[in-house]
Amino acid sequence: MLRSVAVLALDQVAPFELGVLAEVFGTDRTADGFPAYRFQVCSPDGAPVRTSSGFHLTPHADLGPVDEADLVAIPAHGQGTTVPGPVLDALRRADARGAHLFSVCSGAFLLGEAGLLDDRECTTHWRYVDELQRRHPRARVRCNSLYVQDGRLLTSAGTAAGIDACLHLIRQEHGSATATRLARRMVVPPHRDGGQSQYVEAPIPKAPEAPTLEPVLEWLMGHLDRTITVEEVAARAGMAPRTFARRFRAETGTTPHDWLTNQRVLLARRLLEETPLSVEAVADQSGFGDAAALRHHFSRRVGATPHSYRTTFRDRAHSG
């Protein structure tokens, strides 16, 4: 269970990405039932650092908290940032003792300099993925992901994708209900589908008279338990199936099938966390039809079987 967070701030730290980490982990919301964290921003010597926006930021501490934190987070930094040896050593020690490591945007380059991306899956902002791969050829860089988790290593793409990754970590550590409530407080979606490609290339423009798919998506969210075909949803949207599929990808960055599967997995997670329903009943209520289909899709997207996920989540809840 996450209880302490140390954020590394070096010269040219990006204030927005650091602010994302402060908003999620450094804001006290215990009065509203959210978990509390011991949150500390750390610079190499405890001295103020200059941000990429030109102003100076005074940290809480030097590198001391990095050696004890449950989560060590690295916001984006300028490409020319010099990383002191003690910072790289602190990152390696954190990894060796099993702490969570989390980079936002170009923060992944600091992890790479410490040798912590070798033979691991990772990502960064789409503008930097080629450079990250060039500098660290042993890293398995995924260029289209909003965030990637490889064991206790979590890396995110640019700027807002850091919010997605934070909510993913909250969901993993504290459950879907907490992550969804926090997303509502922050006025952001609890989960975004699709990858970075939807931001690299301009999406198909909507015709001025064409309505958004929002009503269709809302209808889908209310009918996850039933069998749904693309043809049925396209008819509801008043489009031919192929036109609907193109419009759907333009608006969501993914296919109707992938979007629907993601939403069903999220619903299954919530049911496994919050109800005593059997796996078969969860499969039925989340629209997978049977336990075998649920296990297949759940394991691929969550990295655990429904049964083991429920057991792990309840163990975390009891330990907290």
Side-chain angles (χ1 to χ4, degrees), residues 9-22:
L10 310 183
D11 185 56
Q12 294 298 305
V13 63
F16 182 92
E17 283 80 353
L18 191 152
V20 166
L21 296 165

Side-chain angles (χ1 to χ4, degrees), residues 120-161:
R120 285 166 141 175
E121 292 195 338
C122 58
T123 194
T124 187
H125 193 290
W126 59 266
R127 291 181 61 187
Y128 307 136
V129 290
D130 290 341
E131 179 64 14
L132 184 66
Q133 188 69 82
R134 186 190 69 78
R135 291 194 197 180
H136 308 290
R138 289 182 57 189
R140 300 200 298 269
V141 181
R142 285 171 49 179
C143 60
N144 189 40
S145 300
L146 293 177
Y147 57 86
V148 174
Q149 183 166 17
D150 189 317
R152 287 181 171 264
L153 177 73
L154 179 64
T155 54
S156 82
T159 312

Side-chain angles (χ1 to χ4, degrees), residues 55-164:
F55 62 86
H56 284 77
L57 181 147
T58 302
H60 296 99
D62 58 13
L63 297 177
V66 177
D67 282 330
E68 300 177 353
D70 300 319
L71 169 65
V72 178
I74 307 102
H77 286 76
Q79 288 292 285
T81 297
T82 299
V83 187
V87 171
L88 299 177
D89 290 339
L91 286 171
R92 295 181 189 115
R93 288 195 302 271
D95 181 60
R97 65 181 172 80
H100 289 276
L101 295 177
F102 173 24
S103 69
V104 182
C105 191
S106 59
F109 285 87
L110 276 71
L111 292 171
E113 282 199 48
L116 300 178
L117 299 183
D118 291 354
D119 303 316
R120 285 166 141 175
E121 292 195 338
C122 58
T123 194
T124 187
H125 193 290
W126 59 266
R127 291 181 61 187
Y128 307 136
V129 290
D130 290 341
E131 179 64 14
L132 184 66
Q133 188 69 82
R134 186 190 69 78
R135 291 194 197 180
H136 308 290
R138 289 182 57 189
R140 300 200 298 269
V141 181
R142 285 171 49 179
C143 60
N144 189 40
S145 300
L146 293 177
Y147 57 86
V148 174
Q149 183 166 17
D150 189 317
R152 287 181 171 264
L153 177 73
L154 179 64
T155 54
S156 82
T159 312
I163 300 175
D164 297 298

Side-chain angles (χ1 to χ4, degrees), residues 35 74 286 295:
I74 307 102
S286 56
R295 279 193 294 271

Side-chain angles (χ1 to χ4, degrees), residues 150-257:
D150 189 317
R152 287 181 171 264
L153 177 73
L154 179 64
T155 54
S156 82
T159 312
I163 300 175
D164 297 298
C166 284
L167 291 173
H168 167 76
L169 192 56
I170 295 294
R171 185 180 303 113
Q172 181 175 274
E173 292 295 310
H174 303 292
S176 298
T178 298
T180 300
R181 284 199 304 125
L182 180 59
R184 189 177 300 119
R185 280 287 298 271
M186 296 172 64
V187 199
V188 296
H191 177 80
R192 286 194 297 164
D193 295 293
Q196 296 194 67
S197 61
Q198 60 188 302
Y199 306 106
V200 178
E201 298 176 359
I204 300 171
K206 294 200 291 276
E209 69 277 7
T212 176
L213 292 180
E214 186 68 26
V216 174
L217 298 181
E218 289 181 1
W219 181 86
L220 285 169
M221 291 294 292
H223 296 81
L224 293 176
D225 60 332
R226 55 171 288 184
T227 301
I228 299 171
T229 65
V230 172
E231 289 75 16
E232 177 186 4
V233 185
R236 179 170 288 274
M239 302 178 192
R242 292 180 65 181
T243 302
F244 173 77
R246 289 195 299 271
R247 174 66 57 75
F248 197 96
R249 180 176 283 279
E251 290 204 14
T252 68
T254 190
T255 65
H257 177 268

